[in-house]
Amino acid sequence: MKIKILKSKIIHKTMFLMSILIAGYIGAILIHAFPKINETVTNLKKANIKDMHNSIALISKMRYQDINDYKKEILVLKKKLIKNITLDNHIDIYISKKEKNLIDEIDKLLKHSSSGKLGTTFIFNNYGKIIMSQKDILKGIDLKNIKNKDTNQSLYNTFLKAKKFNGELKYKWNRANDKDNFNYEKIVWITYIPKLKWHIATTTYTKELEIMAHKLQRIVATLGLISLFVAIIISFIFFKRLLQPILTLSQMANSATKGDYSKRVKIKSNDEIGKLAQNFNTMIETIEKNIKKEKKIMEQSRLAQMGEIMSMIAHQWRQPLSTINSAIINIKIAIFSEKYNLDKKDDRDKFLLVVKNKLNMIEEYVEFLSTTIDDFRTFFKPDNNKELVQLIMPITKALQMIEPSLVMKNIKIIKNFTNNDRIFIYKNELIQVILNILKNSEDNFIEKNISNPIIILQTEKINNKLKISISDNGGGMPEEIIGKIFKPYFSTKLEKNGTGLGLHMSKVIIEEHHNGILKAKNVENGVTFEIILQQ
């Protein structure tokens, strides 16, 4: 084993030295070649654009000359012949067709131009209207109406300035994804065709030229490193074969820490690594079985709690539904009792006021019912990420669900919140824990027929830890039982209606999911549950 470790260190040192050589080689290339690439890219782009502009101008002039020559011939011919309206129409159609063919030919040349890969080329007339473009969406746009919000200068005037600078100009403009920011530098190349009164323009962001230069720099660097990469690949293959078993075990451990226990190590060697792989597989299988068991317990706990939640909803809804029903009856009485003479304005106003008040009451309670059902629906959604909330928020949410049921059973709630710091928690899971504890106190009060039942909820901060305490005066628990209440399927309820899962899952949620502590202890004439969380 010592020899293998020594060889591994040598390989690491060799790879480190090779990395230094590569870095030095790349540095030399950067120093000598990179400063010139930016200038070269700009010049090549400029030359390419000039060639394209010249081609468009040449074709435009030739086709335009053909059309003008034809027009002149027609004028001479018309002077010699009697004017023929039908002939005139055919001539106009022919000339229009020639002009359209010219535009189509140039439009096709624009769309197949290689400059479209970087920047945009288009043609606009003396009125500032774009008549041809590589991008159809630009056709018909009036450049005089497009202005820089910072300078209030139109794009048309900006482009005309380029004539004064040999057809090339840099200017500030915005981007499609940042329309209010006119701080992006662009460059435009302009070629003017006097006969047609056309301007051929190509625009691009200087940043795109830099990106293109960077790509070329990477290509140059890549070509220079090919020979060195061959040596790196050979070294990597050797290194991988030497340490592959350990790498495989490391990957398996990483997958297990992320919750994926489905993978197994396939190492069949008879050395220490082979034995380690076998033991590792056995450990993963054991962990996977335990997690499946915990998930099953969690599902059973949630299903059991759903019945209790339905009971809470019934308590929450009983009074609002009764009030809504009473309001409807009052509206009916107002309608059918003939108490109000609707032909009289005063009676009609009184009647409408009564109906309005009752409808407002119904609307208020319907909103309450909707909010209640939303709260319960949110509670049953699984927590995927921790949330930063105030400490009393999950307590308040839990009380909103269960307090009506507690009040109906004459259980008094005392709140003593001395701390409300913000903390990262799985909100719904902590609500579930608090509900479990409150529900246990409620069931204990009923089972023991406690008079004047009281539940006290407190929050406090101890050093860097936050504590939630839930106490009751339900008589406490025998010492031999209090140490077992967090075990799965253990229940203290005499009627055996409990699943014995609520407190167990509460402990799992606090201690495994939140890295906290959940404990119970007997106090004077009752029991206290303490939830301690790391801030």
Side-chain angles (χ1 to χ4, degrees):
M1 285 298 293
K2 290 183 179 179
I3 296 176
K4 289 186 178 181
I5 292 173
L6 180 61
K7 286 185 177 180
S8 298
K9 289 182 178 180
I10 291 173
I11 290 172
H12 279 94
K13 289 179 180 179
T14 303
M15 296 298 292
F16 178 70
L17 290 172
M18 288 184 68
S19 299
I20 293 176
L21 291 173
I22 292 170
Y25 187 77
I26 293 175
I29 293 176
L30 289 172
I31 291 171
H32 291 90
F34 284 12
K36 298 179 182 180
I37 289 177
N38 287 334
E39 183 181 351
T40 303
V41 168
T42 303
N43 291 336
L44 287 173
K45 174 65 178 176
K46 183 177 179 180
N48 184 30
I49 289 170
K50 287 296 181 183
D51 288 343
M52 184 192 65
H53 284 198
N54 291 336
S55 298
I56 294 173
L58 180 62
I59 293 171
S60 301
K61 290 175 183 177
M62 291 173 59
R63 297 293 183 268
Y64 182 76
Q65 187 63 43
D66 289 343
I67 293 171
N68 275 350
D69 291 342
Y70 180 78
K71 286 181 178 179
K72 290 177 181 178
E73 290 175 7
I74 293 301
L75 289 173
V76 173
L77 184 63
K78 286 175 69 176
K79 288 179 181 179
K80 295 179 181 181
L81 300 174
I82 299 173
K83 187 175 182 180
N84 188 314
I85 297 174
T86 305
L87 181 60
D88 285 345
N89 291 339
H90 283 297
I91 291 168
D92 292 338
I93 291 171
Y94 181 79
I95 291 173
S96 297
K97 186 176 180 181
K98 281 281 188 180
E99 290 174 344
K100 185 178 182 304
N101 288 341
L102 168 61
I103 292 174
D104 290 343
E105 185 174 357
I106 295 173
D107 204 36
K108 185 176 180 181
L109 179 62
L110 285 174
K111 285 185 169 57
H112 290 83
S113 171
S114 61
S115 67
K117 297 177 182 178
L118 184 66
T120 304
T121 300
F122 53 89
I123 298 174
F124 63 95
N125 57 27
N126 274 351
Y127 301 104
K129 185 177 181 180
I130 297 177
I131 54 178
M132 283 168 275
S133 173
Q134 288 175 325
K135 298 178 180 178
D136 292 334
I137 194 172
L138 298 179
K139 290 181 181 178
I141 290 177
D142 190 350
L143 297 176
K144 292 181 179 180
N145 294 333
I146 302 176
K147 295 183 178 182
N148 184 321
K149 292 182 180 179
D150 294 340
T151 63
N152 201 32
Q153 189 174 40
S154 71
L155 200 56
Y156 176 74
N157 291 333
T158 301
F159 287 167
L160 291 185
K161 283 184 180 179
K163 289 183 181 180
K164 301 177 182 180
F165 299 95
N166 297 322
E168 181 180 335
L169 179 70
K170 290 183 179 180
Y171 62 101
K172 299 290 186 178
W173 206 248
N174 62 358
R175 281 186 176 274
N177 58 355
D178 194 6
K179 293 184 178 180
D180 294 326
N181 184 5
F182 286 81
N183 290 317
Y184 298 100
E185 188 176 68
K186 294 191 76 172
I187 185 170
V188 60
W189 291 276
I190 295 282
T191 300
Y192 183 57
I193 308 175
K195 287 186 177 181
L196 293 172
K197 297 180 180 180
W198 286 356
H199 300 79
I200 308 172
T202 300
T203 65
T204 187
Y205 290 96
T206 54
K207 188 68 177 179
E208 293 177 358
L209 293 173
E210 292 174 6
I211 292 172
M212 189 174 184
H214 292 162
K215 288 181 179 179
L216 186 57
Q217 289 169 354
R218 287 195 291 269
I219 291 172
V220 171
T222 302
L223 291 175
L225 292 171
I226 288 176
S227 58
L228 292 177
F229 283 162
V230 172
I232 293 174
I233 291 171
I234 294 172
S235 300
F236 174 76
I237 293 172
F238 175 75
F239 182 78
K240 184 178 178 181
R241 287 184 178 179
L242 180 68
L243 299 178
Q244 183 60 44
I246 296 176
L247 179 63
T248 302
L249 285 171
S250 176
Q251 291 171 345
M252 283 290 303
N254 288 334
S255 297
T257 57
K258 294 177 181 178
D260 183 6
Y261 300 97
S262 60
K263 297 179 181 179
R264 297 292 181 269
V265 182
K266 297 179 180 179
I267 300 175
K268 297 181 179 180
S269 59
N270 295 322
D271 54 13
E272 289 81 359
I273 293 179
K275 293 179 181 179
L276 178 62
Q278 292 176 5
N279 294 333
F280 190 83
N281 286 337
T282 302
M283 180 186 69
I284 291 296
E285 288 171 0
T286 303
I287 293 173
E288 186 177 21
K289 288 178 182 178
N290 291 336
I291 288 176
K292 287 180 178 179
K293 182 179 178 181
E294 289 293 338
K295 284 184 178 179
K296 184 178 180 181
I297 292 173
M298 178 77 84
E299 289 171 1
Q300 290 174 341
S301 175
R302 294 290 268 186
L303 289 172
Q305 198 171 37
M306 282 183 69
E308 297 173 352
I309 292 294
M310 294 304 296
S311 175
M312 295 177 196
I313 293 175
H315 285 294
Q316 289 267 34
W317 281 25
R318 184 173 286 111
Q319 181 184 351
L321 289 174
S322 176
T323 304
I324 291 171
N325 184 55
S326 175
I328 292 171
I329 292 172
N330 287 335
I331 292 173
K332 287 182 178 179
I333 291 172
I335 294 172
F336 297 110
S337 66
E338 299 181 358
K339 179 180 178 181
Y340 302 99
N341 186 350
L342 299 182
D343 293 330
K344 295 181 179 180
K345 186 177 184 305
D346 289 343
D347 281 6
R348 188 165 58 251
D349 290 343
K350 291 178 182 179
F351 171 77
L352 291 175
L353 183 61
V354 170
V355 173
K356 182 181 177 181
N357 290 337
K358 297 302 179 183
L359 288 177
N360 287 340
M361 183 186 299
I362 291 172
E363 184 179 6
E364 180 181 340
Y365 278 104
V366 168
E367 179 66 24
F368 171 78
L369 296 177
S370 176
T371 302
T372 302
I373 205 66
D374 285 342
D375 288 341
F376 284 109
R377 183 179 61 181
T378 302
F379 169 71
F380 280 107
K381 288 182 180 178
D383 282 326
N384 295 320
N385 297 301
K386 285 186 175 181
E387 299 179 46
L388 182 62
V389 301
Q390 292 178 317
L391 182 61
I392 67 170
M393 191 278 284
I395 304 174
T396 304
K397 287 290 185 182
L399 285 175
Q400 286 176 357
M401 297 180 188
I402 198 173
E403 192 166 11
S405 173
L406 299 176
V407 171
M408 286 191 66
K409 296 177 177 65
N410 297 317
I411 299 173
K412 185 178 180 181
I413 305 295
I414 298 176
K415 304 168 190 175
N416 183 19
F417 301 143
T418 60
N419 181 273
N420 193 24
D421 285 359
R422 294 165 71 84
I423 185 171
F424 278 102
I425 58 169
Y426 295 107
K427 181 182 66 178
N428 288 343
E429 289 189 355
L430 194 56
I431 293 172
Q432 180 183 353
V433 172
I434 295 169
L435 280 174
N436 280 332
I437 297 171
L438 293 174
K439 186 63 180 173
N440 277 344
S441 293
E442 178 187 10
D443 293 341
N444 182 61
F445 288 145
I446 295 171
E447 189 174 282
K448 294 182 179 179
N449 195 23
I450 301 295
S451 60
N452 300 318
I454 298 173
I455 296 177
I456 302 173
L457 295 105
Q458 300 180 84
T459 63
E460 58 182 315
K461 184 174 183 178
I462 303 174
N463 296 326
N464 291 325
K465 297 178 180 179
L466 302 181
K467 184 169 76 171
I468 300 172
S469 301
I470 303 174
S471 307
D472 64 33
N473 61 341
M477 289 182 281
E479 291 299 327
E480 64 271 14
I481 290 179
I482 200 167
K484 302 177 182 178
I485 59 174
F486 294 113
K487 292 183 178 180
Y489 305 110
F490 180 83
S491 177
T492 61
K493 297 177 183 178
L494 297 177
E495 296 180 5
K496 297 301 176 183
N497 290 327
T499 61
L501 296 174
L503 290 178
H504 169 71
M505 287 316 307
S506 297
K507 194 170 184 66
V508 170
I509 288 170
I510 297 301
E511 298 191 354
E512 295 186 14
H513 298 185
H514 290 83
N515 195 29
I517 298 171
L518 174 60
K519 58 184 179 180
K521 62 181 180 180
N522 282 316
V523 294
E524 184 178 355
N525 200 32
V527 66
T528 294
F529 285 86
E530 292 182 350
I531 301 170
I532 301 172
L533 301 170
Q534 299 284 346
Q535 191 171 17

